[in-house]
Amino acid sequence: MTGQREGLTASTSGSITTADGSALVKLGNTTVVCGIKAEFAAPHADSSNKGYIVPNVDLPPLCSSRFRPGPPGEEAQAASQFIADVIENSQVVLKEDLCIVDGKIVWVLYCDIICLDYDGNLLDACICAFLAALRN
C-alpha cells in the first residue's frame, strides 16, 4: 500500500489476480477497484488502425445506500461516459498503439471500475484507479 496522509490517495496495484491489470484506490473515504481485461477484436470500420477502450463504472448498493440494485443508474452511466471522455481527450492511451494488424485485429481494453465505498469524489478516484491499473 502506498499512500501519504489520511484523506489522500492510497493505492494497491495488482489487487485482482485474474485481471490483466488492476488497482485498488482509496481517496478519502471513497474506495474503488479497477480491473482491466485485454482481448483481441476486429477494428471498427471507420478506424481500422485503432483499438478501443470500454470503461464501465459500477455503483452497487454495497457502496452506499443511495444506490439501488438493478440496471446501471444515471450516475453510473454518467461516470462511465466521463471516464470514456477523459481517455479520449487526454490521449493517455493512443488508440493507434492498440492496433496489432491494420484492418484485421486490435486490442480492446475492458475497464471495469467498481465502487466499494462511496463518499464523494468518485470521478477522481475512478481516474486514479484506471491509471494505476494501466500501469500494472
Side-chain angles (χ1 to χ4, degrees):
M1 194 77 139
T2 61
Q4 291 125 9
R5 295 182 302 190
E6 180 74 34
L8 297 179
T9 305
S11 69
T12 303
S13 293
S15 50
I16 303 172
T17 58
T18 56
D20 295 313
S22 64
L24 176 74
V25 168
K26 184 170 177 65
L27 188 60
N29 290 325
T30 295
T31 305
V32 298
V33 63
C34 176
I36 297 177
K37 278 299 236 184
E39 295 183 2
F40 299 123
H44 291 298
D46 60 342
S47 53
S48 66
N49 68 334
K50 295 180 181 179
Y52 44 102
I53 302 170
V54 182
N56 179 52
V57 177
D58 187 14
L59 299 172
L62 155 79
C63 73
S64 172
S65 59
R66 69 187 278 174
F67 304 115
R68 299 284 171 240
E74 188 176 316
E75 191 167 349
Q77 291 178 19
S80 296
Q81 186 59 52
F82 175 82
I83 302 300
D85 291 344
V86 167
I87 292 167
E88 184 69 32
N89 295 324
S90 69
Q91 296 185 7
V92 67
V93 176
L94 297 176
K95 292 184 180 177
E96 293 85 359
D97 291 344
L98 299 175
C99 181
I100 299 169
V101 178
D102 191 354
K104 302 265 185 203
I105 192 164
V106 298
W107 286 107
V108 57
L109 303 180
Y110 293 101
C111 307
D112 291 313
I113 304 169
I114 302 169
C115 184
L116 302 176
D117 194 3
Y118 181 90
D119 191 37
N121 222 6
L122 174 70
L123 299 177
D124 290 342
C126 288
I127 290 294
C128 289
F130 169 73
L131 293 173
L134 271 181
R135 271 192 250 141
N136 178 245

